Amino acid sequence: MGDSSSEEKASSKSTSILLQIVEHSDGSASRPFVPVSAPSDDRPDAAVLSKDVPLNPAHNTWLRIYRPSVLPHATNLPIVIYFHGGGFVVFSAASTFYHGLCEAMTGAISALVVSLEYRLAPEHRLPAAYEDAVETVLWIRSQARDPAAGEPWLVRHGDFSRCFLMGSSSGANMAYHAGLLATALELLPLRLPGLILHQPYFGGVERTPSEIRSEDDPILPLQANDTLWRLALPKGAGRDHEFCNPVVAVPPELRHLPRCLVKGCEGDPLVDRQREFVRMLEREGASVVARVDEGGFHSVELLDPIRAESLFAEVRRFICNDL
C-alpha cells in the first residue's frame, strides 16, 4: 500500500522529473514515465547499430551494445562500459535520452559502447548497482577469454586492452566504485586503463555551498537530492557512508585506481562535491584529469547537443591519451 503523504508531495507541480518519484511504505517506489527506445538491431539505414544481450536473467539485468555501422579496417575499437544516471532510482539504459547519448557517443568517439541496465533502488539498494557494474566487467572479461563463444561484435571489433568505465551522475559514482572493486580482480586479457566520471553523484551530511544554492534547481533540487540518497543508501546508512561521500575515508584500493577523467560544470549543484573528490584523488597520488566548464547544469549532456559534443571530444582525447 502506498504512503499517501509521499504521493501527495510527489504530485505537486515541479520542473524536475525527480520530484515525481513516489515512495511506498512497502519499500518500493513508483517512477515517472520516461520514453524508451528499442535497439536498432540490423537496420540498414542506421549510422550506429545497437542490440540487447542478457547479463543476469535472475536480476533482470542486460546490456545494450552499440557499434558504428561502418567499421575501420584492421583496427579494433576501444570499449566503453557506460552506466546511466538517475540517482540509482530512475531511468534505464533504454531511456530515450540515454539511448540517444550512447548512439551519438559511439559515432563521435568511434568505440564500442556497452550500456548496463542495472537494478534500481529502493527495491535494490546499494551496493546492488555496484555488483551489477562489476558483473558487467567480468562478462566483458569472459568475452576476451573465450572469443570462440563470445559476443561477435566484441570479439571481432573490440580492443580488450582498452576498456574504459564511464558514467554520468550516479553512473559516474558507479564507475568509480566499480573501478575500486576491479583493482582486486584478475582481469587479463582485459585491461581497464581509465575511468571517465561525468558530473559524479556524491553527497555528505554537511551541505556544500553549491548544494545550498540548489533548493529550486530545475534538474536536481535539494529535496530530490535528499530523496534519492534516502532511497539508494543501505537501510540505516547516513550521508557520510562511503557509497555517498568518498572523501570521508580514503579506500586503500585508491592507490591502484586507473587514470581518471573527472568532468563537471559550474552550474551543477554537485560541483563542490566533485572538486572535493578531485582534491582527494590528487592528494592520494591518483592520476586525474579534471575539467570544470562554465555555466551548465546537472545532466547537461542530455539536453544541450553542443555540451554533449564537447564531452565526446574530451572522452576521445582521454581514450587516446591526449589529455
Side-chain angles (χ1 to χ4, degrees):
M1 181 177 293
D3 180 339
S4 60
S5 63
S6 294
E7 291 174 7
E8 288 171 6
K9 181 185 294 183
S11 67
S12 63
K13 296 182 190 286
S14 171
T15 58
S16 173
I17 194 172
L18 299 176
L19 290 177
Q20 298 175 30
I21 298 167
V22 180
E23 303 174 57
H24 300 298
S25 57
D26 64 358
S28 66
S30 297
R31 298 166 176 85
F33 169 77
V34 175
V36 296
S37 295
S40 72
D41 295 317
D42 294 322
R43 198 174 70 235
D45 61 334
V48 171
L49 302 178
S50 56
K51 64 180 174 180
D52 294 344
V53 299
L55 178 62
N56 186 334
H59 292 161
N60 198 28
T61 55
W62 46 268
L63 305 168
R64 181 162 292 184
I65 306 175
Y66 300 81
R67 74 164 177 86
S69 59
V70 178
L71 294 159
H73 294 289
T75 301
N76 283 349
L77 301 176
I79 300 168
V80 176
I81 301 175
Y82 181 78
F83 309 120
H84 69 79
F88 307 105
V89 175
V90 293
F91 306 143
S92 163
S95 295
T96 295
F97 38 78
Y98 280 116
H99 173 74
L101 181 81
C102 288
E103 276 193 329
M105 180 165 63
T106 298
I109 69 175
S110 192
L112 301 180
V113 175
V114 180
S115 180
L116 168 64
E117 176 76 356
Y118 55 87
R119 289 172 291 171
L120 297 177
E123 295 85 355
H124 305 282
R125 291 174 176 265
L126 294 174
Y130 302 155
E131 294 166 356
D132 295 343
V134 172
E135 190 169 18
T136 303
V137 173
L138 294 176
W139 183 86
I140 299 284
R141 182 191 69 178
S142 72
Q143 312 307 300
R145 288 185 173 181
D146 188 9
E151 203 295 312
W153 287 5
L154 290 173
V155 299
R156 293 174 186 167
H157 309 300
D159 182 347
F160 292 104
S161 70
R162 293 189 295 157
C163 183
F164 295 81
L165 302 184
M166 177 179 177
S168 300
S169 187
S170 54
N173 177 307
M174 288 174 60
Y176 168 66
H177 283 282
L180 290 175
L181 293 167
T183 62
L185 301 175
E186 176 51 63
L187 295 178
L188 291 176
L190 183 69
R191 295 181 184 274
L192 299 177
L195 309 182
I196 302 164
L197 312 179
H198 183 243
Q199 296 182 318
Y201 185 54
F202 297 127
V205 170
E206 185 176 349
R207 305 280 197 204
T208 67
S210 63
E211 288 172 341
I212 292 170
R213 294 192 299 268
S214 72
E215 185 173 358
D216 298 317
D217 189 85
I219 305 296
L220 185 61
L222 201 56
Q223 179 187 331
N225 195 8
D226 290 343
T227 296
L228 292 171
W229 281 119
R230 184 173 66 254
L231 296 177
L233 286 170
K235 286 281 191 180
R239 293 278 281 274
D240 279 338
H241 189 281
E242 63 188 278
F243 296 163
C244 179
N245 192 347
V247 307
V248 169
V250 177
E253 303 92 338
L254 193 65
R255 67 177 66 96
H256 304 297
L257 198 68
R259 184 168 174 255
C260 296
L261 169 62
V262 183
K263 186 170 172 61
C265 66
E266 294 284 357
D268 185 359
L270 305 180
V271 67
D272 291 341
R273 297 285 178 194
Q274 294 153 12
R275 287 192 171 108
E276 289 176 353
F277 175 68
V278 167
R279 286 194 292 268
M280 179 198 70
L281 293 178
E282 293 173 339
R283 186 171 61 247
E284 297 301 319
S287 176
V288 57
V289 177
R291 295 285 187 270
V292 178
D293 296 336
E294 294 182 358
F297 47 87
H298 196 69
S299 300
V300 65
E301 79 284 8
L302 300 179
L303 300 173
D304 185 335
I306 294 176
R307 297 274 189 161
E309 288 297 330
S310 174
L311 171 64
F312 301 155
E314 293 201 79
V315 170
R316 184 170 57 247
R317 290 174 59 200
F318 182 76
I319 288 175
C320 295
N321 210 23
D322 287 340
L323 281 181

